Every structure is written in structure tokens, then in C-alpha cells.
Amino acid sequence: VDLGSSASLVAGTGDFTFGGLFFVEDSTTAKIPLSSRISASGNGYDIVLQNGSVAGRIAVRVDSADIAQIASPNWDASKPAWHFIIGVINRSAETLELYGDGLSKGTGDITNAGNITNSQNPNIGKRGTLFFNQEAQHIFFLNRVITANEALKIARIAGLA
């Protein structure tokens, strides 16, 4: 689903939170449930599920280089299940934080991130030719940082914490 051009869906140089509830199955191919990038080498943000690891990678890219990446957050994805995955870009702390089912799964340094805006419209369910082909619900974007308590409350509402 192409979400169209909207200033509220662009991370730019400010705080930004993005995420959703995704049905995840073990996969050896990358599946992209949420992305603002046209390809793996573009600026923007995305959630990538791969190699039996929920959110096998979540990254912020600038000028085709990973600025922050959190890989293999230690979840058992060997059985199909729903997972709430949230990425938080916090400019004042200069971090990208990954939350999974309400718990912090890692933090990356985005000190040199600059502007991560691009010309690609955000998409649910694909990036380029990499399709998600599974279920997604409760996709959201916020132009602010959410706290650890808010991430936990979101997962509890979804019944995952």
C-alpha cells in the first residue's frame, strides 16, 4: 500500500516513531512490512524481517549507508506469531531504538544521521520488489519519541506483553 506523499510520514531531521503489529513466519528471504525506502541503498527507514528473526534488521540509512542497525534481536520466530515492532528515532539522544512486544531489543547510534528524507512515499507491505505477503495491523507513525512505558502499553493493548 503506497501511503502517498505526506509531511507527517517523513522522518526528516526530527523525532519519529514508526511501527505496527505484524504476523511473522520464519523466512530466509527478506520481507519488508514497512518502508520509506525505494531500495536497500536509499535513505529512509524500514523494518525488515529475515532469517528466522523477528525484525532481523531495522535500520536508518543516509546516503546509502546504515547509520543505525539492530540485527537479530533474540526472538524465537521459529513458530508463526504476531509481534508488535516499533522503531524510535530520538534526535536529542541520537539513537534509534527497537521495541519488540513492548520490550527494548536494542539501540543504535544515529549521531551522524542528518536528514533521512527521500522522495519515496512510505509503503506498507513492500520495498521495491520485496513484498511482505503476510498480515499487518495497527500501523502507526508519530512525529515524536515514545517512551519505554508507552511501548509496553501498546504491546499490552495488543495482548503481547
Side-chain angles (χ1 to χ4, degrees), residues 18-43:
F18 57 100
L21 181 62
F22 305 105
F23 189 76
V24 179
E25 295 180 302
D26 187 31
S27 175
T28 55
T29 26
K31 296 185 186 306
I32 317 290
L34 184 61
S35 181
S36 74
R37 300 190 296 147
I38 196 164
S39 69
S41 62
N43 293 355

Side-chain angles (χ1 to χ4, degrees), residues 82-95:
W82 286 96
H83 293 281
F84 218 110
I85 303 167
I86 301 170
V88 179
I89 298 169
N90 184 332
R91 294 298 185 151
S92 61
E94 298 182 331
T95 58

Side-chain angles (χ1 to χ4, degrees), residues 94-127:
E94 298 182 331
T95 58
L96 168 69
E97 185 149 16
L98 171 66
Y99 289 97
D101 298 336
L103 301 175
S104 177
K105 295 294 180 178
T107 302
D109 181 0
I110 60 167
T111 302
N112 299 313
N115 190 331
I116 62 171
T117 300
N118 64 26
S119 60
Q120 173 70 19
N121 294 338
N123 279 274
I124 298 172
K126 77 174 190 118
R127 181 184 74 208

